[in-house]
Amino acid sequence: MIQQSLLLIFPMAMAFAAANDLFTMRIPNKVSLVLITAFFAIATISGFSLEAMGMHTAVGAAVLVFTFVMFSLRLLGGGDAKLLAAGALWVGPDHVLPFLVYVTAFGGVLSIVILLYRKLIPAGAMQLPGWATRLHAEGTGIPYGLAIAAAGLVIYPHTAVFKALMG
């Protein structure tokens, strides 16, 4: 029972990150910290070998280095970089490439939708909440946490963590 309830940590954290990014253009550091801490706790409880935990850690670290470079070049937000690395920690070496492909695909669709929104809906045409007005502004970033979360949720049922918790 407890192990099955642990299944919800990853999807809830990803959904929270996505909502925060959409509404505030920020992903709290706490989300990534919860994901990292929960991964190691779950991996230990589930009997992951040190080698398996090490491989997951290496994948997460590699993605963090890559996303830090992207952040330094102002191609990705800091919260997005940390969330992507924490997600890679969870999906591990067997699913990191499909995870990144899904992030890229969902991010492309998200970017197109937001660009069309900015182009086709005139600013001030209707009363919009603050977050929707902010998304409309030219030069505003894309809440990429939505794409990261969506990719994570698609890949998660295939991961070793999910399978270990399902028994």
Side-chain angles (χ1 to χ4, degrees):
M1 179 70 164
I2 292 174
Q3 282 192 311
Q4 279 91 13
S5 64
L6 295 175
L7 280 169
L8 296 176
I9 293 173
F10 184 80
M12 288 177 63
M14 285 296 194
F16 181 78
N20 249 314
D21 204 16
L22 176 63
F23 295 127
T24 68
M25 293 298 284
R26 301 250 186 265
I27 299 172
N29 289 335
K30 293 175 190 173
V31 175
S32 297
L33 291 173
V34 163
L35 284 170
I36 292 165
T37 304
F39 168 78
F40 286 109
I42 290 169
T44 302
I45 291 167
S46 299
F48 276 42
S49 68
L50 286 177
E51 179 184 353
M53 285 197 288
M55 291 300 292
H56 279 255
T57 302
V59 166
V63 170
L64 183 61
V65 168
F66 178 72
T67 57
F68 179 75
V69 170
M70 290 180 68
F71 171 72
S72 297
L73 297 172
R74 295 180 182 249
L75 298 174
L76 191 66
D80 298 326
K82 291 176 272 191
L83 183 64
L84 195 53
L89 175 70
W90 276 71
V91 302
D94 295 337
H95 297 95
V96 68
L97 290 179
F99 173 58
L100 295 174
V101 168
Y102 277 117
V103 168
T104 303
F106 290 145
V109 170
L110 176 66
S111 297
I112 290 168
V113 167
I114 289 177
L115 291 173
L116 287 172
Y117 166 67
R118 289 175 182 167
K119 184 173 180 80
L120 299 176
I121 298 178
M126 61 185 91
Q127 186 68 19
L128 297 171
W131 63 270
T133 302
R134 186 188 62 258
L135 281 179
H136 199 285
E138 293 289 330
T140 302
I142 304 291
Y144 220 73
L146 290 167
I148 297 166
L153 295 175
V154 168
I155 292 293
Y156 182 53
H158 306 285
T159 65
V161 175
F162 185 90
K163 290 175 182 173
L165 288 171
M166 286 298 291

